[in-house]
Amino acid sequence: MTTENPNPSTESDQPAQTPSEPEIAVQTSEQIIEELNQKLLEAQDHFLRAKAEGENIRRRAVEDIAKAHKFAIENFAEHLVPVTDSLYAALSAEAVDAKAFKEGLEITLKQLLSAFEKGKMSEINPAVGDKFDPHHHQAIASVPSEQEANTVVSVLQRGYSIADRVLRPALVTVSAPK
């Protein structure tokens, strides 16, 4: 008779050995410091690049504003060149009669007013009897008149505005209160 092992065991009966757990990477303080220093250097680099980009944008904006101021009148000046040409032509013309000269001046004035219109510039030319507007008119004198008080009696000099902003008010005389 064979003796049997009272505790027969097979490989399946034995508890399986657990595979060794992956070693948890334990960093030394030097490694942590090195990583943090690397992140700090990256952050500093990003900061310096962003700061430089901000300075470049600011510098370009200053240059653009300077160019805008320098050349703001360019468009308006282009509309005035034909008026100048007409004035030179009138000055170089031989002696002509007064009527032809006046017609030439009227055409030149139309060119000038057209240039004003294209440049968003308009005349302030109040009619006699219009109510005095201190935002658009400058009263030079107050004269007795049959008109209602504080109305325009005469226009001494036309005013001008650019895009609803008064460049020069119209110089007017107004009626005095009775």
Side-chain angles (χ1 to χ4, degrees):
M1 178 172 212
T2 61
T3 54
E4 290 187 20
N5 190 356
N7 292 332
S9 68
T10 60
E11 290 181 15
S12 62
D13 289 343
Q14 292 182 353
Q17 288 182 336
T18 58
S20 62
E21 293 182 19
E23 292 183 20
I24 299 176
V26 177
Q27 295 180 330
T28 64
S29 58
E30 291 84 18
Q31 290 172 329
I32 293 172
I33 291 171
E34 182 62 33
E35 277 185 31
L36 292 175
N37 280 335
Q38 184 65 29
K39 289 180 181 180
L40 177 63
L41 289 174
E42 288 175 14
Q44 287 174 333
D45 182 57
H46 289 310
F47 169 75
L48 290 176
R49 289 178 188 272
K51 184 178 177 184
E53 181 65 23
E55 286 296 316
N56 288 339
I57 290 170
R58 187 195 59 77
R59 182 185 44 79
R60 276 186 246 126
V62 167
E63 288 173 1
D64 289 346
I65 290 170
K67 285 180 184 176
H69 285 139
K70 186 176 181 180
F71 299 110
I73 192 115
E74 182 178 15
N75 190 28
F76 184 62
E78 286 175 355
H79 299 302
L80 292 179
V81 171
V83 177
T84 306
D85 294 339
S86 295
L87 289 172
Y88 279 125
L91 289 173
S92 66
E94 294 297 320
V96 293
D97 63 60
K99 183 178 179 184
F101 189 72
K102 183 178 179 186
E103 287 176 4
L105 284 177
E106 287 173 347
I107 291 170
T108 303
L109 179 60
K110 286 180 184 178
Q111 284 180 321
L112 181 61
L113 293 176
S114 174
F116 284 175
E117 185 178 315
K118 290 175 185 172
K120 305 286 190 262
M121 188 169 160
S122 59
E123 279 187 338
I124 300 172
N125 188 19
V128 173
D130 283 355
K131 186 79 174 156
F132 175 74
D133 181 357
H135 299 291
H136 294 99
H137 310 143
Q138 182 176 349
I140 298 299
S142 179
V143 296
S145 172
E146 296 297 320
Q147 294 178 198
E148 185 180 327
N150 292 326
T151 57
V152 175
V153 174
S154 66
V155 178
L156 303 172
Q157 190 176 58
R158 294 175 184 190
Y160 295 93
S161 64
I162 297 176
D164 297 327
R165 184 176 179 182
V166 175
L167 180 63
R168 180 181 80 189
L171 300 179
V172 298
T173 56
V174 294
S175 60
K178 296 180 184 177

